[in-house]
Amino acid sequence: MFVQEIKTPFIKIKVRDHKKNKKELLKLIKKTTDLILIKKDSKVSNSDWHIEDNNKKLYLNSFLTLLKPEFEEYLDYFKSDKFEIQNIWFHSYKKDDHYAWHTHPRANFTNIYYLDLPNKKDKTEIKDLNGDIIKFDVEEGDLITFPAFIVHRSPPTKNKKTTIVFNSSIYTD
Ligand SMILES: [Fe+2]
């Protein structure tokens, strides 16, 4: 097998009006559901991962409206006009919650909006294809995007935190 590596983007955008978004989206997330997510080697105290019907995700319409400028920035970068969100969910972690190493199937990109992140150290851990941890800084209000085949996890959190995660595809016909 011959492999030639090509560069892929790791994008970070500071979301405009984050404080206002946080208030509104957390309120809608609270109304959406309150169910614990337990999978092999993972525990998230509150998540709507199990809800397949997007109409039941009460924060979704506001999320799409509030983050429109950020999505336009992506499209500019990719020189594309087609951007689809395949699925979206939130994770609210409490102290010691964690999510095991995984990738996201059936999408081009994994996206994480750090909606509530009191401690920057509780960020996602991401590994490159050599298994080395990728170094990056992130703070509350950041939206990060990286290829969906890249392995990542949420190590045991020291504080509470809430993220909105979505799978997206950017493409050109
Ligand atoms: Fe993930």
Side-chain angles (χ1 to χ4, degrees):
M1 184 171 71
F2 168 76
V3 177
Q4 180 181 351
E5 292 190 349
I6 55 172
K7 281 186 185 173
T8 58
F10 174 93
I11 299 170
K12 185 169 77 175
I13 296 181
K14 296 222 169 292
V15 175
R16 293 151 190 82
D17 297 324
H18 167 69
K19 281 193 177 152
K20 201 183 91 199
N21 300 349
K22 179 180 175 181
K23 214 173 153 194
E24 182 170 342
L25 293 170
L26 282 178
K27 198 170 71 186
L28 294 166
I29 277 173
K30 222 174 170 183
K31 282 189 197 163
T32 295
T33 188
D34 189 9
L35 267 181
I36 193 163
L37 169 67
I38 294 182
K39 282 164 81 170
K40 191 175 173 282
D41 301 326
S42 303
K43 181 193 166 212
V44 182
S45 285
N46 186 10
S47 172
D48 64 345
W49 168 251
H50 57 286
I51 298 178
E52 285 179 16
D53 182 357
N54 277 346
N55 294 319
K56 292 185 178 157
K57 303 195 176 222
L58 304 178
Y59 56 91
L60 182 57
N61 285 340
S62 294
F63 176 80
L64 295 176
T65 307
L66 293 169
L67 274 78
K68 206 163 179 271
E70 286 70 31
F71 298 148
E72 279 165 6
E73 237 181 298
Y74 281 142
L75 291 172
D76 267 6
Y77 170 77
F78 287 105
K79 298 178 182 62
S80 175
D81 56 0
K82 295 193 176 65
F83 170 72
E84 271 177 16
I85 292 181
Q86 271 84 22
N87 50 347
I88 184 165
W89 61 97
F90 76 84
H91 278 339
S92 278
Y93 294 79
K94 285 184 182 155
K95 192 178 179 303
D96 298 327
D97 283 2
H98 54 280
Y99 203 98
W101 291 107
H102 66 285
T103 61
H104 291 193
R106 297 179 293 281
N108 289 357
F109 291 100
T110 293
N111 308 265
I112 305 170
Y113 178 27
Y114 292 92
L115 190 62
D116 184 26
L117 187 70
N119 188 341
K120 288 184 201 178
K121 287 181 186 158
D122 288 329
K123 68 181 180 190
T124 313
E125 273 183 6
I126 304 175
K127 270 185 192 171
D128 66 20
L129 291 177
N130 297 318
D132 296 324
I133 300 282
I134 295 170
K135 285 191 180 128
F136 68 100
D137 279 325
V138 83
E139 62 180 10
E140 183 179 299
D142 286 345
L143 170 63
I144 63 166
T145 296
F146 51 94
F149 60 81
I150 292 291
V151 176
H152 58 283
R153 73 161 182 164
S154 185
T157 189
K158 293 178 183 65
N159 298 269
K160 68 176 177 94
K161 66 172 178 180
T162 295
T163 52
I164 293 179
V165 185
F166 58 99
N167 285 330
S168 68
S169 290
I170 292 163
Y171 60 95
T172 304
D173 276 339

